[in-house]
Amino acid sequence: MLRSHTCGELRSSDIDKKVTLSGWVQKSRDLGGMTFVDLRDRYGITQLVFNPDWDKTLSEQARQLSREFVIQITGTVIERESKNKNHVTGDIEIKVETLKILNESITPPFTIEDETDGGDELRMKYRYLDLRRSIVRKNLELRHRLALETRNFLDKLNFIEVETPVLIKSTPEGARDFVVPSRMHSGQFYALPQSPQTFKQLLMVSGFDRYYQIVKCFRDEDLRADRQPEFTQIDCEMSFIEQEDILNTFEGLVKHLFKSVKNIDIPKMPHMTYADAMKNYGNDKPDVRFEMKFVELNDVVKGKEFKVFNDAKLVVGICAKGAAEYTRKQLDELTEFVKRPQIGATGLVYARYNSDGTLKSSVDKFYNEEELKKWAAAFNAQPGDLMLVLAGDEDKTRKALSELRLEMGNRLGLRDKNKFSCLWVVDFPLLEWNEGDPNLLESLRGRWVAKHHPFTSPKPEDIDLLKKDPGNVRANAYDMVINGVEVGGGSIRIHNKNLQATMFEVLGFTKEEAQKQFGFLMNAFEFGAPPHGGIAFGFDRLCSLFGGADGIRDFIAFPKNNAGKDVMIDSPSEISQEQLKELGLRL
Amino acid sequence: MLRSHTCGELRSSDIDKKVTLSGWVQKSRDLGGMTFVDLRDRYGITQLVFNPDWDKTLSEQARQLSREFVIQITGTVIERESKNKNHVTGDIEIKVETLKILNESITPPFTIEDETDGGDELRMKYRYLDLRRSIVRKNLELRHRLALETRNFLDKLNFIEVETPVLIKSTPEGARDFVVPSRMHSGQFYALPQSPQTFKQLLMVSGFDRYYQIVKCFRDEDLRADRQPEFTQIDCEMSFIEQEDILNTFEGLVKHLFKSVKNIDIPKMPHMTYADAMKNYGNDKPDVRFEMKFVELNDVVKGKEFKVFNDAKLVVGICAKGAAEYTRKQLDELTEFVKRPQIGATGLVYARYNSDGTLKSSVDKFYNEEELKKWAAAFNAQPGDLMLVLAGDEDKTRKALSELRLEMGNRLGLRDKNKFSCLWVVDFPLLEWNEGDPNLLESLRGRWVAKHHPFTSPKPEDIDLLKKDPGNVRANAYDMVINGVEVGGGSIRIHNKNLQATMFEVLGFTKEEAQKQFGFLMNAFEFGAPPHGGIAFGFDRLCSLFGGADGIRDFIAFPKNNAGKDVMIDSPSEISQEQLKELGLRL
């Protein structure tokens, strides 16, 4: 080893020891005579001291050290005069006796500090330097810890990790596949898995009983912010279970992660139906760190002279506690917020319940104080509260109000990143109508597509509706939602060949297409498939949630940018004619 | 849960308990009145009893159960009259009270037993049924256990697992890459990693200090038997270390795996140079479960009238202890063995040291008993031994004798799968001349290629030879060899930009090519790269070794066949014109 100790290891109890340390020069201070160098490695920072009175040549050498030089020193641990409480090694320093430069460094393009001066693109290009910042490295240490805790927890419950293949078959029933041309079978392609879904189901058919895998998945989407073409799932499946068993097991996993990694006790997670989530929060992944439920006002506000409300299918609002003092400017900002194209409301109505008990609204012309009292009653508002109301089409209005609710949560400081509110959303619809999702192939437009995936089982009592009224079939599907983020989702699967065939039929597959793409699974169902179900957690997202961050990118060692490019290695890139020819491809 | 207990759980102490079990019908025996059903799940087999005296209808139903039906029963645990010592549940059986068929099964195409009647292709097609066989499932359970033990062991040593990207850049310096066309960047491609080599080195530059990953890698090779286009590595890297540190650390890992998984104590692993391995075993991965070292005979046999030996560059042999009694037929078989085209010797000379002390050879015409005594002395042979001698070119003869040595090891029962002999082979050559390896691109023919990879450091004392005599440069490279299998290999890496540039030059890269393909790494070396090195274990191979098997295929859940095809899902396969068009590709 080129060291006897790490830079985070030495304490007062080590004083007088001869040690060898290796690491990076974090910074160097030249105090006329003495030179102090902060030596950094993954484990911490240790102060080195060079004194010309001890060794003039060595002290001269030390003056030449620049940031990020890699050095090895030997020396003696001594007590530090002015202790530094910011470092665990702050009680000691090293009186250096020998110095060896292991590698030099040119000046980094940005500072290697928690607060860096490097912009996003620059940090992506020099990712290996960005990863030196302890703030980023700690994210990846957290990720490692979460993965290992997950594995050990599931192992104890008899889950076994099974690696499923990465080179599989293109089945573009959902998002687009990345494909891999085969050289040995010219004109044919493998595909990269969007999830190991069919394989984990086959493992259940095989009797593996309890499977998990922390696994890379791939989706060729037009990337939105914070999506990655390759991402990681905690993928799980169980046999001989009912929905409650899955929820209990994986609630247990997440509670264990919170407890073991963050020492937080998470209470029993409530269950909320999809219908209630949409009704009360306009969102299938409600952030329930704060209440601020939707209040429907059709009965309260209709029938006055206010055409906007009278014409609206839905008038619905939220009550922002203690926000009655909002200024005109703040209210204008909120109006602008809901009118942004991506939210699309036509306007915002507000009513202040002033602390003196009076009521004042933006629609005083149509609603007198008596009427506003009725609003307040509906909202269960108190003096000091602000009522915010939107009106319009059902779905669009709920969606817009959901955004407004989250915005108000932010403004009122109700979305504390150190507080975690977890719940299960259950009873999702089985299907949704694809009008023209740009992430799906064009050939899927104007069809019913699976909300979760084509292997999700309908609720037994809704099976009759499959052909009559597909949109109203509920699924045995569930999501775990934490702080408004869907961290995991799953379902009880179909394990009956005929029901699976019906499902493909509803999704517009011909018998031949279904057989060609998923014949192996339907055939497997003929040989004794057990009842089974599972869940997959978005691991990148889970890590960022645990890390208290908004984005996933700094929880991935080498992420791609929003254009799907790795700017550090410059990928994707052209390949040689020789390679193209061998693959039988032309551009 | 659709069960209160698993099929491997109930014991005498559970007698009189009411239980619910679910599983597969392994077999059913109809003894006139009573019906006995073996119910199977991952955890074991439990016997169910149906008796028409207890319930006539139920007993009738039980008679209809066929192999691989999935059922759920409730009943009472009772003591078994004739105990079955083959099952841990053999002391009890279940008096069944209710029976529910959860799913039916058609007759499987082969028997789900340890000894199956299914051929290879059939079992690959119905892999999900093959995986039901406990012998195959146990392999994957072993794999899971090895992976988890590896992770926990390395975690304790401060290694952190970091996921490196799967969509990277094509750098076909070694074997061929699988490539992935980019839809968003038409005409450009990602590549799948042959290993995370450059990324783990960047992590060292980032100060991650100790990295590991159990990771899928990909190589587009013309598949030989027992190679897979996707395979799994335990990939590791450390900073601030020397070669001895890597060897000690990972010797520790493998010892831990043997101890924790198989309860075997592995002694300190000897180190053998590549030169010694080639000289003594003709092989850089010698099987040292048995001695039978090469003995060079040039000095002993040359100068007689035997032209074959006189003309040969090398005359070399092995001494097979106790094989003097081999019959003429057995010796003919050995001659045929070495003359097979893949071995390519021209003939085999033998000399028997009979137990009566006389000597008899296939070349008595040229060597009298006095001469053969000299042979025996060289071999240190004893009465009862058989000396086998080959002659010809150096390399080819050593290689052929290596094969013969292994064959003799097999024939003499010296290669016990339950005995494990581990060693390190060190000081590999840095480079080798590529005459025309079919797994490399044609453009690499007639060039020096890296024996390990282009990032391996030469021994400091050999750097001078890099341009003068590349073939004689030794590398800081090492392999772990167990029972003649290379289970892992690695090296101390280059961490100096100039040396790395020289290496690319020796490998025939122009400066521009090197910069284009590996510029990111060489740039990274300018910012303070620490000394570092690592190792990668072939995880599939390690599992099969621990499982006492020859092939890796049954240690992979869903392997591909020798043509790189997954015959179960029928992949690779054609993709739609719509997909091709979106990718900007033509066939």
Side-chain angles (χ1 to χ4, degrees), chain A residues 143 214-216 232 539 557-558, chain B residues 161-165 211 213:
Chain A
R143 184 180 178 114
I214 301 186
V215 59
K216 276 279 173 76
T232 303
F539 188 54
F558 299 99
Chain B
E161 183 159 25
V162 179
E163 292 175 57
T164 52
Y211 145 94
Q213 189 183 187

Side-chain angles (χ1 to χ4, degrees), chain A residues 65-99:
Chain A
L65 296 174
S66 298
R67 278 203 286 144
E68 303 307 320
F69 271 42
V70 186
I71 62 171
Q72 181 189 35
I73 60 99
T74 61
T76 306
V77 183
I78 58 174
E79 188 171 1
R80 194 152 155 179
E81 270 184 37
S82 55
K83 311 260 188 294
N84 181 340
K85 295 289 166 212
N86 295 326
H87 295 306
V88 288
T89 61
D91 287 349
I92 57 95
E93 59 194 7
I94 313 295
K95 180 183 172 184
V96 178
E97 281 137 30
T98 69
L99 163 66

Side-chain angles (χ1 to χ4, degrees), chain B residues 27-55:
Chain B
K27 62 180 173 205
S28 170
R29 275 154 304 147
D30 196 341
L31 302 185
M34 313 257 281
T35 304
F36 294 92
V37 170
D38 277 355
L39 190 66
R40 184 196 73 227
D41 66 12
R42 182 180 124 202
Y43 311 94
I45 283 180
T46 298
Q47 179 160 287
L48 313 178
V49 197
F50 299 84
N51 188 331
D53 294 346
W54 302 333
D55 187 331

Side-chain angles (χ1 to χ4, degrees), chain A residues 204-327:
Chain A
M204 293 305 106
V205 174
S206 300
F208 272 59
D209 204 72
R210 296 178 167 208
Y211 144 94
Y212 80 95
Q213 188 183 190
I214 301 186
V215 59
K216 276 279 173 76
C217 300
F218 306 86
R219 208 167 285 164
D220 183 12
E221 304 186 301
D222 299 320
L223 299 171
R224 283 169 274 169
D226 222 33
R227 287 269 185 153
Q228 290 280 322
E230 54 179 297
F231 53 97
T232 303
Q233 287 188 351
I234 304 173
D235 192 51
C236 310
E237 199 80 3
M238 299 173 82
S239 288
F240 299 119
I241 43 75
E242 288 163 319
Q243 178 165 314
E244 277 303 299
D245 301 313
I246 305 264
L247 302 194
N248 288 336
T249 304
F250 293 98
E251 183 168 327
L253 168 63
V254 171
K255 280 182 176 179
H256 170 77
L257 294 179
F258 271 108
K259 187 65 189 171
S260 60
V261 175
K262 296 182 79 76
N263 197 27
I264 292 176
D265 289 296
I266 297 288
K268 170 92 190 139
M269 300 185 190
H271 295 191
M272 185 187 292
T273 64
Y274 172 87
D276 282 349
M278 295 310 288
K279 188 175 167 64
N280 293 325
Y281 301 95
N283 199 321
D284 60 4
K285 38 180 190 285
D287 184 348
V288 295
R289 275 174 296 187
F290 61 109
E291 184 83 346
M292 213 188 279
K293 276 189 193 171
F294 286 13
V295 174
E296 292 178 18
L297 297 171
N298 285 18
D299 294 348
V300 181
V301 302
K302 291 220 174 193
K304 308 290 154 188
E305 313 250 298
F306 189 41
K307 194 168 175 329
V308 174
F309 281 1
N310 288 342
D311 291 354
K313 275 267 194 306
L314 176 70
V315 182
V316 61
I318 52 175
C319 175
K321 291 276 159 206
E325 306 293 324
Y326 260 38
T327 62

Side-chain angles (χ1 to χ4, degrees), chain B residues 303-321:
Chain B
K304 309 288 153 191
E305 315 249 298
F306 190 38
K307 195 169 173 330
V308 173
F309 281 1
N310 289 341
D311 291 353
K313 276 267 196 302
L314 177 71
V315 182
V316 62
I318 50 175
C319 176
K321 292 273 158 208

Side-chain angles (χ1 to χ4, degrees), chain B residues 538-570:
Chain B
F539 189 52
D540 308 296
R541 181 68 57 198
L542 195 69
C543 292
S544 80
L545 190 85
F546 269 72
D550 286 321
I552 61 173
R553 209 186 268 176
D554 274 347
F555 294 80
I556 297 171
F558 298 100
K560 295 186 174 54
N561 72 8
N562 283 345
K565 280 189 91 74
D566 183 329
V567 294
M568 179 187 72
I569 62 172
D570 185 25

Side-chain angles (χ1 to χ4, degrees), chain B residues 224-237:
Chain B
R224 284 168 272 170
D226 221 31
R227 286 269 184 153
Q228 291 281 320
E230 54 179 297
F231 54 97
T232 303
Q233 286 188 350
I234 306 174
D235 192 50
C236 309
E237 198 81 1

